[in-house]
Amino acid sequence: MKPLSSYFVIVAIVFLFSSTASFADTHEKFVQCLFNYSHNTNTSISNIVYTQTNSSYSSILNASIQNLRFTTNTTEKPLVIVTPLEVSHIQATIICSQRHGMQIRTRSGGHDYEGLSYISEVPFVVIDLVNFIEIQVDAENSTAWVQSGATIGQLYYSISEKSKTLGFPAGVCPTVGIGGHFSGGGYGFLMRKYGLAADNVIDVQMVDVKGRFLDRKSMGEDLFWAIRGGGGASFGVIVAWKIKLVQVPSTVTVFNVPRTLEQNATNIIHKWQRVASKLDERLTIRINIGKGSSAQTGNQTVQASFESMFAGDLDELIPLMEKNFPELGLVREDCTEMSWIESIMYMAGFSGQPTQVLRNRTQPNLVFSKNKSDYVKVPIPDAALEGLWPMFFEDGIESPVIQFTPYGGRMDEISESEIPFPYRSGNIFHIQHQVYWEEEGDEATERHINWMRRVYSYMEPYVSKSPRAAYLNYRDLDIGVNNNGYTSYEQASVWGLKYFNNNFRRLAEVKTKVDPRNFFRNEQSIPSLVSHGRK
């Protein structure tokens, strides 16, 4: 992929203009600015600009909203949506936004758990990368270029079309957008063998605050470091990623084994905590814990589903499990051998469907949700788990799920400062706290969010401390937010140290170099160290 246009001549003068437009006419002047510079582009910009009076505005906005919490009438909405077709459209949007006092939100797949890619409390424009979905797979050199608007499902599909023995260590949900997933870290069932998605990025293309089109060489290693796990939206608009593909065997083995409390689930989880991070790096066993039905009584109970992908065949897996994790009681009949791409389908719930389903950008049956995250360094005591189980059955709580994902393997070998994502050796597993509901209304939303906060509070003694770590891709505004305007490094550290630990200061230093005026900002963006001319 090569730059689609040259730099704008107007870049040199963009900072001479200040934002003097009133709220009422901000977007009109912004749109006129875009149209004024449409002659600098290869394609007319007028066909990809949507204001709130446009008949397609709502369908464009809602197409990539993945959480019904952000579809209400009270949700803040962009004054303008731009769906660029070429890099010059992105450059024009950045330049005109600065000139006319508009903030920018960049959206790839729309899975941001707090909706920060498409909501804001101040006048803003969404750059929706829905048209930036080109994928070029170079199987001979085991690399690929993938644009930020593509989904991980589309990437997996494209890889499988070129090779049966190449894959990539990214996430499970196929509709997640590349841009947010890669820039926040990105993990899945190959993590213990190959690390995070961000660990396997070898080049990028992006547009910075000055409208410059940059790659790894021209941006420098500091910025290249920052956007691989530090959140790309704080530094510019990332257009495309060059990734290193990884080897996968022609046959992998999967299983999904449920165990209820009556089937000794708590004790099995107890053993899992002690062995999962120490198993063969080809084997990842995660646990999804939620409500289930007792086989004995038919009553509701807690069920733990042990879901796994082993990058090898069944004859290797069974002896490995019998030796290291016999408590699960895995038998050959629980397992299925398949190709790597079929395992992607299996984990996404698409077994038996054609692989083309991975190319779909939308997911059916959207619901409301709230998520949080934690990291665990020492096993959670059985008594603590037994105290957690009753919370799953509190009145009015529809679908609570707690997911444990093991670390170890390659994650223990990568330095915590290699990229901004810091949580490596010393963590035995990661927790994603989740709650989903279908009931509409503010009362239902408040009830479920409050439940999630109580669970999070309950878990505090058993998870990482100083800081209590969190995962950027599981965005959570409860842990701290920036001001609408200037935010000090100290204030931002309240949430920043939780996501990035000792890497947060370096991220702020990179931010100060590349975006000192803090144009690219949101409720949890990396702060600039510049304040009213002082550092």
Side-chain angles (χ1 to χ4, degrees), residues 55-226:
S55 60
S56 299
Y57 172 90
S58 294
S59 61
I60 295 293
L61 176 62
N62 294 331
S64 295
I65 293 181
Q66 310 291 347
N67 186 343
L68 292 182
R69 271 207 295 143
F70 307 117
T71 59
T72 67
N73 291 332
T74 58
T75 301
E76 300 87 353
K77 294 176 174 56
L79 296 178
V80 183
I81 305 170
V82 180
T83 57
L85 296 169
E86 56 184 72
V87 169
S88 59
H89 295 156
I90 299 173
Q91 293 170 314
T93 305
I94 291 172
I95 290 166
C96 291
S97 293
Q98 291 174 80
R99 177 174 294 183
H100 296 290
M102 301 273 279
Q103 286 192 15
I104 281 179
R105 297 290 183 268
T106 305
R107 182 166 74 172
S108 52
H111 278 267
D112 188 308
Y113 281 164
E114 297 285 11
L116 298 190
S117 63
Y118 53 87
I119 64 174
S120 174
E121 295 182 356
V122 298
F124 72 110
V125 54
V126 165
I127 297 179
D128 193 327
L129 297 174
V130 64
N131 296 316
F132 272 73
I133 58 173
E134 184 181 353
I135 301 170
Q136 298 175 358
V137 176
D138 182 353
E140 182 177 352
N141 293 304
S142 299
T143 63
W145 273 106
V146 53
Q147 290 186 324
S148 287
T151 65
I152 56 175
Q154 290 170 331
L155 173 61
Y156 291 152
Y157 174 82
S158 297
I159 295 171
S160 71
E161 288 291 285
K162 292 294 183 71
S163 171
K164 305 306 177 188
T165 57
L166 289 175
F168 190 70
V172 173
C173 179
T175 57
V176 168
I178 292 294
H181 191 61
F182 285 13
S183 69
Y187 70 84
F189 280 93
L190 289 175
M191 174 182 71
R192 300 187 66 249
K193 175 68 173 175
Y194 292 112
L196 305 172
D199 292 324
N200 293 275
V201 171
I202 55 179
D203 203 349
V204 296
Q205 294 174 344
M206 69 172 288
V207 182
D208 74 356
V209 70
K210 297 180 181 179
R212 297 176 299 185
F213 188 89
L214 306 174
D215 61 8
R216 178 176 183 175
K217 182 178 180 180
S218 57
M219 74 175 58
E221 289 301 303
D222 282 346
L223 181 52
F224 181 65
W225 173 85

Side-chain angles (χ1 to χ4, degrees), residues 274-521:
R274 285 159 173 77
V275 303
S277 63
K278 301 173 184 176
L279 294 171
D280 187 308
E281 65 182 7
R282 296 174 296 166
L283 176 60
T284 296
I285 306 173
R286 74 175 186 182
I287 315 177
N288 293 309
I289 306 169
K291 296 179 182 179
S293 297
S294 167
Q296 287 77 21
T297 66
N299 295 330
Q300 275 200 326
T301 185
V302 171
Q303 177 175 286
S305 295
F306 295 80
E307 185 178 40
S308 176
M309 193 278 285
F310 173 61
D313 60 32
L314 181 56
D315 288 337
E316 286 185 281
L317 175 61
I318 293 298
L320 192 157
M321 290 291 290
E322 289 175 344
K323 177 182 178 181
N324 296 288
F325 194 16
E327 291 80 0
L328 184 59
L330 186 75
V331 296
R332 298 181 71 91
E333 290 74 21
D334 293 325
C335 306
T336 305
E337 292 182 325
M338 57 183 60
S339 67
W340 172 76
I341 193 63
E342 288 172 331
S343 77
I344 295 295
M345 301 281 289
Y346 175 88
M347 296 302 178
F350 294 148
S351 293
Q353 299 185 46
T355 55
Q356 286 83 353
V357 72
L358 292 173
R359 301 169 68 182
N360 293 344
R361 296 187 62 85
T362 58
Q363 53 184 355
N365 305 318
L366 291 180
V367 294
F368 302 86
S369 67
K370 174 64 180 176
N371 301 64
K372 290 178 175 290
S373 61
D374 269 311
Y375 289 85
V376 179
K377 294 181 177 292
V378 296
I380 300 170
D382 287 0
L385 293 174
E386 290 165 354
L388 175 64
W389 303 150
M391 301 182 75
F392 282 58
F393 301 99
E394 291 185 10
D395 288 344
I397 303 304
E398 293 185 26
S399 300
V401 178
I402 294 181
Q403 185 180 85
F404 292 175
T405 299
Y407 268 45
R410 179 65 178 144
M411 293 296 286
D412 282 347
E413 301 166 359
I414 301 173
S415 166
E416 68 175 17
S417 60
E418 181 70 20
I419 64 173
F421 180 96
Y423 300 115
R424 307 287 188 167
S425 179
N427 294 282
I428 57 175
F429 64 95
H430 172 265
I431 301 178
Q432 182 178 188
H433 309 278
Q434 308 163 78
V435 65
Y436 303 94
W437 65 98
E438 296 182 3
E439 182 183 353
E440 297 182 358
D442 293 343
E443 192 279 329
T445 294
E446 183 177 1
R447 182 193 330 134
H448 285 88
I449 291 178
N450 286 341
W451 178 88
M452 175 60 75
R453 290 169 177 163
R454 290 199 308 276
V455 169
Y456 188 70
S457 177
Y458 174 85
M459 294 295 291
E460 184 172 8
Y462 314 111
V463 298
S464 61
K465 299 172 178 64
S466 300
R468 183 176 183 177
Y471 176 37
L472 180 65
N473 277 358
Y474 295 159
R475 185 85 70 176
D476 179 15
L477 295 185
D478 288 349
I479 67 174
V481 295
N482 296 341
N483 300 325
N484 283 335
Y486 169 72
T487 298
S488 70
Y489 175 80
E490 289 71 24
Q491 179 182 340
S493 294
V494 171
W495 58 265
L497 293 176
K498 293 179 174 69
Y499 288 138
F500 304 113
N501 205 349
N502 295 329
N503 294 326
F504 186 56
R505 180 73 188 190
R506 183 179 173 188
L507 283 168
E509 290 170 352
V510 175
K511 171 73 170 183
T512 305
K513 290 179 183 178
V514 302
D515 184 18
R517 295 171 181 263
N518 197 27
F519 171 69
F520 288 107
R521 64 185 186 270

